[in-house]
C-alpha cells in the first residue's frame, strides 16, 4: 500500500476545493473573563456592532461565541477586548481540534483556580479558626496592629494571586460603564480589606466597638468563589458530552483508491467522487454510495436503532456509522462539512448555543440585577450608618459587603444554558435533533400534532401485504410468476411485486411477449404460460370469471390495500394486495402522544376510503383526505386559529410549507433534505416515537430550567434582605460575609449539578 505526503494531499485538496462546496462565514471564539449572564449581552452587542457581522450568539456555559459574517477575526477580537474581555479565535481548527483545545484550556484554567483557591484558603481557614477559637479580631494594642498589618499584607497577596481576575474584570467593566459579577466581588472583598487596613493604620478614627478586621472574610470569599468556579467548570465539562460523542464517531483517516492504488489519508483530504474502501470493523469516513461489495452497517448513532442494516451496491453509507461484516467500496458523495454527521454536529451546537424565551428572560434580569444590587448595598450601608447600633461603621461595612457578595447572579446566568446543553444532547442521543432553543421550549406546549400519512405513519413504499390464493394455488408460485411478469413494467406497484419476490429469495424466470395495457395491467408469457395481472377491467375484457373474488377484493380495498387480479391461462389464480404498510411502531407511538393529551390529526392526499382505513388502524379519529400539497399549510393555520399549539410532522418536499408554518415542525430524517431544512426538529430514526421523545425531553428540560431559575433567583432575592440586616432588629441575626461567599459560590455548583441530572433522564422505553 502506498503513502503520500501531507503536502501533496493539501495541494490536491486546494485544487479540488470547489468540489467540496464553500463554507459558511462562521467563526468561533473562546471567551475569557465572562463571569455572569450580564456579560453575554455585552459581548454579543459588541460583536454585532462590528460591520459585516450578521449574528453573534454566545454559549455562556461553554464560554464560546459563534459569529456569522465575513469579518476578519482581528476585528472581532478587538471588539471583545474593547468590551472588557479577552478572546482567542478558533476559526482555523477542525471540530476535533476545537474540542481538544477547549478541554486543554479548561484543564489549565481548572488547575489555576484550584491553586488559587488553595492559596486563599491557606490564609482564610486559619484566620477563621482563630476568630472562632480565640474570639473577635479586634485591634487595640501596638502588637495587635503589627500582627494584623502582616496579616493584611498577606491578604493583599491573596487578593493579587488568587483574586486578581475579579479585580481586573471589575476595572474593565467600570471602564466600559457596566457592572458584572466581578464588580460585586471586587467591591465586597475590597471594601472589607480597606476597612480592615484603616482599623490597623488609624484605629483611633474608628470607635472602640468597631475596631474589627475582616481579612479572613476577604481571603475566604476569594477562596470559596474560586473553588465554586472550579467545580462549576468541572461539571460544565460533562454537559458537552453529546458533542464529544458525536465528534468521536468521525473516522480520522480514509482508505481511498487513486490510480488503482489504495492509500490512507486524513478524512479532510477526501474529495467528491473518490473511491473509498471500508473494511470490517472500520468507521465509514464520509457519505457515499456503494459500488462494490455487501455488508451490514451499525447505524445506531444515526437512527438509535441497535440492529445492523444490510447494505449492498446502490445503498447509501453515512459518515460515522460502523461497518460490521463485509468489505465494501463506495463513491464519496458528501465530504467535509457536508456529511450528515457534520450537519448533525452543527445542528446540535446551534441548538445548544440558542436561547429559548425563558433563557432570554434570565439574561434581561441579570443585566438589571447588578446595578440594582449595588444600589441596595449602598442604601443598606446608609441605613446602618444612620439608624444602626454601635459600631455603626462595622455593621454598615458588613451588610454592604454581604449584599454585594450574596447577590452575584452567576447561578442565574448558568440556569438556562446548562439545561439546554444537556437537554439537546439527550435528545440527540435518542436520534432527535433539535435546531434551536425556541423549538425545545415550544415542543413542551404542543396541543395538536398533524401527521402526514405517506412516509410518516406509513413506510412510504408499497409492499405486497396479502396474497389470496384461489383453489389449488401456491402463494410462492403466484408471487414468482407475478414478479416475472412485472419485471418489464414501469408501474410504481410493479417494483413492490419484484422486491417481495426477491426478499423471499424466489428465482424469477424471464418473460416473453410482454405487453403493458394502460389503465388495466400487464400480460405476457412465462414458462410457456400466458399470464394476466391487473384490475377488474382487464379480467372482464379477457372473459375471466372473477365473481367469487369480487367480495375479497372489496374487503382488501376497504383496508387501504390495492387489489390486483392474477390469472394463469385464462383462469383466476389469485388476488395480490399491495399497500403502503403502517410502520411497525406507529400505532404505539400515536397512543403515547394521545396519552400525553396531544390531539393527533392525520393529513393525506389519498382518497377518503384509504385515509379512513389507515386512521382507524392507528387509532386516529380526526383526519383530512384528498388534501393538495399547497393546502397542507392552510390546515396548520386552521388549527392555530382554533388556539392549538401545532406540531407538523412530514417527510416530503410537499410538506415543507406546512413544516415551516407550524409552531414546531418535525421532519422524518429518512425524508427529503428540503423537509429537514424546513423543520425545527429532525427525527433521525424515522419513527414516530421520536415525537413523544422530543416532547418528553422538552418538558424535562423546561422543568429543569425552571428549577434552576427558581433556585438561583429566589436564592438571590431571599439572600439580599437577609444580608442587608432586615432580620437583625427582630432576631439579632446578621449574615456573615464568608457564609454569603460560600453560598454564592456553591449556588452555581448546585445549578450545574441539577442540570446534569437531565443526563439520567429517559424519554420512554419502547
Amino acid at each position: 500500500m502506498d503513502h503520500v505526503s501531507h503536502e501533496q494531499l493539501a495541494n490536491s485538496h486546494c485544487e479540488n476545493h470547489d468540489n467540496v462546496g464553500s463554507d459558511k462565514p462562521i467563526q468561533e471564539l473562546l471567551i475569557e473573563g465572562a463571569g455572569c449572564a450580564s456579560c453575554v449581552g455585552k459581548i454579543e452587542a459588541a460583536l454585532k456592532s462590528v460591520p459585516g457581522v450578521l449574528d453573534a450568539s454566545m454559549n455562556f456555559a461553554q464560554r464560546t461565541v459563534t459569529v456569522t459574517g465575513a469579518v476578519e477575526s482581528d476585528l472581532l477580537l478587538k471588539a471583545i477586548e474593547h468590551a472588557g474581555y479577552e478572546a482567542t479565535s478558533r476559526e482555523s481548527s477542525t471540530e476535533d481540534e476545537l474540542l481538544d483545545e477547549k478541554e486543554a484550556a479548561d484543564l489549565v484554567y481548572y488547575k489555576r483556580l484550584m491553586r488559587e483557591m488553595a492559596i486563599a484558603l491557606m490564609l482564610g481557614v486559619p484566620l477563621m479558626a482563630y476568630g472562632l477559637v480565640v474570639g473577635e479580631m479586634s485591634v487595640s494594642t501596638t502588637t495587635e496592629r503589627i500582627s494584623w498589618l502582616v496579616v493584611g499584607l498577606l491578604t493583599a497577596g491573596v487578593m493579587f494571586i488568587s483574586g486578581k481576575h475579579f479585580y481586573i474584570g471589575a476595572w474593565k467593566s467600570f471602564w466600559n460603564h457596566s457592572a458584572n459579577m466581578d464588580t460585586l466581588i471586587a467591591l465586597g472583598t475590597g471594601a472589607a480589606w480597606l476597612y480592615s487596613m484603616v482599623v490597623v493604620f488609624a484605629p483611633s478614627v474608628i470607635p472602640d466597638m468597631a475596631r474589627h478586621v475582616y481579612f479572613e472574610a476577604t481571603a475566604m470569599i476569594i477562596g470559596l468563589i474560586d473553588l465554586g468556579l472550579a467545580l462549576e467548570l468541572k461539571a460544565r465539562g460533562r454537559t458537552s458530552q453529546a458533542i464529544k460523542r458525536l465528534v468521536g464517531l468521525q473516522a480520522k483517516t480514509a482508505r481511498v483508491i487513486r490510480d488503482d492504488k489504495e492509500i490512507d489519508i486524513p478524512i479532510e483530504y477526501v474529495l467528491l467522487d473518490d473511491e473509498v474502501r471500508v473494511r470490517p470493523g472500520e468507521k465509514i469516513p464520509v457519505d457515499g454510495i456503494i459500488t462494490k461489495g455487501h455488508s451490514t452497517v451499525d447505524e445506531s448513532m444515526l437512527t438509535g436503532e441497535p440492529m445492523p442494516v444490510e447494505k449492498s451496491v446502490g445503498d447509501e453509507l453515512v459518515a460515522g456509522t460502523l461497518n460490521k461484516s463485509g468489505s465494501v467500496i463506495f463513491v464519496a458523495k458528501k465530504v467535509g462539512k457536508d456529511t450528515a454527521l457534520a450537519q448533525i454536529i452543527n445542528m446540535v451546537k446551534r441548538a445548544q448555543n440558542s436561547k429559548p424565551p425563558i433563557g432570554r428572560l434570565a439574561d434581561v434580569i441579570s443585566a438589571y440585577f447588578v446595578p440594582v444590587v449595588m444600589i441596595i448595598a449602598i442604601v443598606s450601608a446608609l441605613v446602618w450608618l444612620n439608624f444602626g447600633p454601635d459600631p455603626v461603621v462595622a455593621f454598615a461595612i458588613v451588610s454592604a459587603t454581604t449584599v454585594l457578595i450574596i447577590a452575584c447572579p452567576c447561578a442565574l446566568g448558568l440556569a438556562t444554558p446548562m439545561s439546554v446543553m444537556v437537554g439537546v444532547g439527550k435528545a440527540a442521543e435518542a436520534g432527535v435533533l433539535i435546531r434551536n432553543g425556541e423549538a425545545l421550549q415550544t415542543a413542551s406546549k404542543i396541543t395538536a400534532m398533524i401527521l402526514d400519512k405517506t412516509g410518516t405513519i406509513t413506510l412510504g413504499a408499497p409492499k405486497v401485504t396479502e396474497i389470496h390464493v384461489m383453489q389449488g394455488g401456491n402463494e410462492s408460485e403466484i408471487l414468482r410468476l407475478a414478479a416475472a411478469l412485472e419485471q418489464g413494467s414501469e408501474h410504481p406497484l410493479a417494483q413492490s411485486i419484484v422486491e417481495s419476490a426477491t426478499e423471499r429469495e424466489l428465482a424469477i424466470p424471464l418473460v416473453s411477449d410482454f405487453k403493458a395495457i394502460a389503465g388495466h395491467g400487464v400480460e405476457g408469457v412465462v414458462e410457456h404460460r400466458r399470464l394476466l395481472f391487473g384490475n377488474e377491467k382487464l379480467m372482464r375484457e379477457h372473459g375471466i370469471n372473477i365473481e367469487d373474488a369480487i367480495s375479497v377484493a372489496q374487503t382488501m380495498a376497504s383496508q387501504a390495500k390495492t387489489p390486483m387480479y392474477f390469472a394463469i391461462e385464462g383462469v383466476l389464480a389469485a388476488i395480490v394486495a399491495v399497500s403502503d404498510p403502517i410502520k411497525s411502531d406507529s400505532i404505539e407511538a400515536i397512543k403515547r402522544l394521545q396519552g400525553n393529551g396531544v390531539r393527533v390529526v392525520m393529513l393525506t392526499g389519498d382518497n377518503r376510503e384509504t385515509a379512513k382505513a389507515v386512521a382507524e388502524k392507528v387509532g386516529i379519529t380526526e383526519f383530512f383526505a384528498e388534501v393538495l400539497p399547497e393546502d397542507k399549510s392552510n390546515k396548520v393555520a386552521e388549527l392555530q386559529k382554533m388556539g392549538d399549539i401545532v406540531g407538523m410532522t412530514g417527510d416530503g418536499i410537499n410538506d415543507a410549507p406546512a413544516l415551516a408554518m407550524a409552531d414546531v415542525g418535525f421532519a422524518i430524517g429518512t425524508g427529503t433534505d428540503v423537509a429537514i431544512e424546513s423543520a425545527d426538529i429532525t427525527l433521525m430514526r424515522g419513527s414516530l416515537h421520536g415525537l413523544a421523545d422530543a416532547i418528553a425531553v422538552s418538558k424535562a428540560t423546561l422543568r429543569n430550567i425552571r428549577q434552576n431559575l427558581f433556585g438561583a433567583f429566589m436564592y438571590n432575592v431571599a439572600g439580599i434582605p437577609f444580608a442587608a440586616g432586615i432580620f437583625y432588629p427582630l432576631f439579632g441575626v446578621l449574615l456573615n460575609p464568608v457564609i454569603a461567599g460560600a453560598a454564592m459560590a456553591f449556588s452555581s455548583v448546585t445549578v450545574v449539578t441539577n442540570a446534569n441530572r437531565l443526563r439520567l433522564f429517559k424519554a420512554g422505553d419502547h
Side-chain angles (χ1 to χ4, degrees):
M1 185 183 67
D2 289 1
H3 293 273
V4 291
S5 71
H6 280 256
E7 187 177 350
Q8 289 172 310
L9 286 169
N11 292 336
S12 169
H13 185 63
C14 292
E15 288 167 12
N16 293 276
H17 189 265
D18 290 341
N19 292 339
V20 180
S22 60
D23 295 335
K24 292 179 181 178
I26 294 176
Q27 299 181 49
E28 192 167 42
L29 308 175
L30 181 61
I31 305 296
E32 292 179 32
C36 64
S38 61
C39 303
V40 174
K42 292 167 197 165
I43 291 167
E44 289 179 347
L47 288 169
K48 287 176 183 175
S49 68
V50 177
V53 171
L54 303 175
D55 189 34
S57 177
M58 182 172 174
N59 184 330
F60 177 65
Q62 287 286 354
R63 305 303 197 267
T64 59
V65 61
T66 303
V67 183
T68 306
V71 183
E72 291 291 327
S73 59
D74 289 347
L75 291 174
L76 301 177
L77 298 179
K78 283 179 184 174
I80 291 173
E81 190 176 336
H82 184 69
Y85 305 92
E86 294 179 14
T88 51
S89 175
R90 296 160 39 163
E91 59 183 315
S92 61
S93 305
T94 65
E95 189 67 48
D96 211 7
E97 289 169 344
L98 291 181
L99 287 172
D100 289 344
E101 182 184 332
K102 180 72 172 62
E103 279 192 353
D106 281 350
L107 182 61
V108 170
Y109 186 39
Y110 173 77
K111 287 180 177 177
R112 193 189 90 193
L113 285 171
M114 291 300 286
R115 185 170 59 249
E116 291 172 355
M117 176 273 297
I119 291 169
L121 294 187
M122 279 170 63
L123 178 65
V125 171
L127 284 176
M128 180 169 272
Y130 174 83
L132 292 171
V133 175
V134 177
E136 294 181 352
M137 300 178 180
S138 58
V139 177
S140 301
T141 65
T142 303
T143 304
E144 286 176 341
R145 288 178 64 190
I146 295 170
S147 300
W148 287 117
L149 176 60
V150 172
V151 172
L153 294 174
L154 289 172
T155 306
V158 164
M159 294 167 74
F160 178 77
I161 296 169
S162 302
K164 180 171 62 177
H165 48 287
F166 299 129
Y167 302 105
I168 291 173
W171 174 251
K172 285 181 177 178
S173 290
F174 173 75
W175 193 250
N176 286 282
H177 313 293
S178 61
N180 59 15
M181 183 186 83
D182 292 339
T183 308
L184 301 181
I185 296 169
L187 283 173
T189 57
W193 183 81
L194 282 171
Y195 174 76
S196 299
M197 291 304 284
V198 169
V199 171
V200 170
F201 278 107
S204 59
V205 302
I206 306 290
D208 289 343
M209 294 179 66
R211 291 176 189 170
H212 305 285
V213 292
Y214 294 97
F215 295 126
E216 93 288 357
T218 299
M220 285 293 290
I221 288 165
I222 289 172
L224 290 170
I225 293 175
D226 277 341
L227 176 60
L229 290 172
L231 294 176
E232 174 203 314
L233 184 70
K234 199 77 169 172
R236 260 191 0 231
R238 293 200 297 271
T239 63
S240 59
Q241 288 300 315
I243 293 286
K244 290 177 187 173
R245 273 194 290 270
L246 287 170
V247 171
L249 294 170
Q250 292 177 319
K252 300 291 186 289
T253 61
R255 175 168 291 201
V256 299
I257 303 170
R258 292 179 183 168
D259 301 324
D260 296 325
K261 295 177 181 176
E262 293 188 8
I263 54 174
D264 286 333
I265 63 173
I267 59 166
E268 55 263 32
Y269 296 132
V270 177
L271 307 175
L272 282 181
D273 297 324
D274 263 346
E275 277 197 312
V276 184
R277 179 184 291 281
V278 185
R279 294 166 296 185
E282 292 182 337
K283 288 178 181 174
I284 310 297
V286 294
D287 294 1
I289 296 175
I290 296 176
T291 55
K292 292 178 186 175
H294 176 273
S295 183
T296 55
V297 177
D298 180 355
E299 294 187 332
S300 58
M301 76 91 188
L302 186 71
T303 65
E305 294 294 338
M307 290 297 291
V309 181
E310 293 276 341
K311 296 283 183 178
S312 56
V313 175
D315 288 335
E316 292 184 0
L317 294 175
V318 178
T321 56
L322 183 65
N323 184 36
K324 298 287 283 185
S325 55
S327 175
V328 295
I329 294 174
F330 70 93
V331 175
K333 291 300 178 186
K334 287 184 180 178
V335 299
K337 293 183 178 178
D338 294 327
T339 65
L341 180 58
Q343 295 298 325
I344 289 169
I345 291 170
N346 285 333
M347 195 182 289
V348 173
K349 284 183 67 180
R350 282 201 304 270
Q352 289 185 338
N353 278 0
S354 66
K355 301 181 190 76
I358 196 170
R360 288 194 286 271
L361 176 65
D363 288 344
V364 171
I365 292 170
S366 293
Y368 291 101
F369 202 59
V370 176
V372 168
V373 165
M374 292 173 70
I375 292 168
I376 292 172
I378 293 167
V379 170
S380 170
L382 290 173
V383 169
W384 277 101
L385 284 170
N386 287 283
F387 304 105
D390 287 329
V392 290
V393 177
F395 276 124
I397 290 289
V398 168
S399 65
T401 301
T402 309
V403 166
L404 289 170
I405 290 165
I406 202 166
C408 290
C410 45
L412 192 65
L414 284 167
T416 299
M418 296 303 296
S419 298
V420 169
M421 285 179 66
V422 181
V424 168
K426 285 300 293 182
E429 287 175 19
V432 177
L433 300 181
I434 299 171
R435 292 173 79 92
N436 56 67
E438 193 140 359
L440 178 69
Q441 178 165 338
T442 309
S444 66
K445 303 173 185 174
I446 288 174
T447 58
M449 181 68 74
I450 296 177
L451 304 178
D452 177 52
K453 179 180 77 70
T454 307
T456 301
I457 295 175
T458 66
L459 286 173
K463 301 275 184 186
V464 174
T465 53
E466 186 179 348
I467 300 176
H468 181 84
V469 181
M470 308 309 285
Q471 289 183 350
N474 177 280
E475 190 174 300
S476 294
E477 178 68 7
I478 297 293
L479 186 57
R480 186 178 73 88
L481 295 174
L485 187 58
E486 290 286 18
Q487 279 183 114
S489 175
E490 295 179 356
H491 193 277
L493 297 179
Q495 188 180 356
S496 65
I497 305 290
V498 177
E499 283 179 356
S500 294
T502 305
E503 285 172 5
R504 296 194 190 189
E505 298 182 350
L506 301 175
I508 303 173
L510 296 175
V511 62
S512 61
D513 198 19
F514 175 81
K515 184 180 178 183
I517 306 162
H520 289 67
V522 293
E523 65 175 306
V525 176
V526 177
E527 295 177 345
H528 310 296
R529 287 179 285 182
R530 179 156 293 279
L531 309 177
L532 287 170
F533 194 24
N535 58 19
E536 186 178 333
K537 289 180 182 177
L538 180 69
M539 297 295 117
R540 295 199 184 281
E541 277 186 8
H542 286 79
I544 295 170
N545 182 11
I546 60 170
E547 298 307 317
D548 293 341
I550 287 176
S551 61
V552 175
Q554 288 174 342
T555 301
M556 288 177 173
S558 69
Q559 296 170 347
K561 298 173 183 176
T562 302
M564 293 181 289
Y565 297 92
F566 184 71
I568 303 174
E569 295 290 353
V571 178
L572 183 65
I575 303 173
V576 179
V578 174
S579 69
D580 181 5
I582 292 166
K583 291 176 183 176
S584 60
D585 56 2
S586 285
I587 296 172
E588 187 186 340
I590 288 167
K591 281 181 181 174
R592 277 184 73 195
L593 286 171
Q594 292 169 333
N596 289 331
V598 178
R599 171 187 177 191
V600 181
V601 181
M602 188 182 79
L603 210 60
T604 179
D606 263 356
N607 63 69
R608 183 171 178 80
E609 283 303 312
T610 302
K612 184 180 179 183
V614 172
E616 286 178 352
K617 196 171 285 187
V618 298
I620 293 176
T621 55
E622 195 175 352
F623 65 90
F624 299 101
E626 299 173 13
V627 178
L628 297 174
E630 56 267 28
D631 291 333
K632 287 187 176 182
S633 58
N634 294 336
K635 293 296 181 186
V636 173
E638 282 178 25
L639 290 182
Q640 288 173 330
K641 284 178 184 175
M642 293 168 66
D644 279 310
I645 305 295
V646 181
M648 167 70 196
T649 309
D651 71 322
I653 292 172
N654 60 351
D655 297 320
L659 289 169
M661 169 73 72
D663 294 289
V664 183
F666 295 84
I668 302 294
T670 51
T672 64
D673 289 343
V674 175
I676 292 169
E677 283 301 314
S678 303
D680 303 296
I681 297 175
T682 302
L683 312 178
M684 296 307 296
R685 284 187 297 167
S687 166
L688 292 183
H689 274 299
L691 297 175
D693 289 347
I695 292 171
V697 169
S698 170
K699 286 181 176 178
T701 304
L702 264 291
R703 188 163 56 246
N704 195 269
I705 289 173
R706 289 192 187 99
Q707 289 167 355
N708 285 350
L709 286 174
F710 179 81
F713 192 60
M714 289 308 295
Y715 158 84
N716 288 127
V717 170
I720 289 171
F722 191 23
I726 198 169
F727 295 117
Y728 187 84
L730 299 172
F731 307 108
V733 177
L734 189 62
L735 192 63
N736 188 306
V738 176
I739 295 173
M744 186 282 293
F746 286 101
S747 68
S748 294
V749 179
T750 304
V751 164
V752 175
T753 304
N754 186 54
N756 271 296
R757 283 196 314 109
L758 266 177
R759 296 167 69 225
L760 306 174
F761 174 76
K762 292 182 179 179
D765 298 321
H766 44 81

